[in-house]
Amino acid sequence: MVRTLTHWTVADYHQMIESDILAGRHVELINGQIIDMAPEPPIHRVTYRRGVTIFIG
């Protein structure tokens, strides 16, 4: 079996976001590949926001 992988550009990724192709999905563009990411649990968001407040103000 032969696989053909497409390496996406940042412009391609942003165009997909703007056209809602990726709506409702948690994905990131990493090294030209669109990777499905697990949603962040609420504790991660709370911890992140606290860290930002402490370190950035």
Side-chain angles (χ1 to χ4, degrees):
M1 177 190 297
V2 177
R3 288 188 174 183
T4 303
L5 298 177
T6 300
H7 281 79
W8 303 102
T9 65
V10 173
D12 294 333
Y13 181 70
H14 285 267
Q15 188 174 7
M16 285 185 246
I17 291 170
E18 290 171 8
S19 62
D20 288 333
I21 291 173
L22 302 174
R25 296 180 62 191
H26 298 281
V27 296
E28 292 185 18
L29 179 67
I30 301 174
N31 293 328
Q33 296 182 19
I34 297 174
I35 308 293
D36 285 306
M37 305 300 287
E40 296 174 348
I43 190 69
H44 180 272
R45 279 178 266 166
V46 170
T47 305
Y48 173 79
R49 288 182 185 149
R50 286 183 184 164
V52 168
T53 302
I54 291 169
F55 293 111
I56 297 176

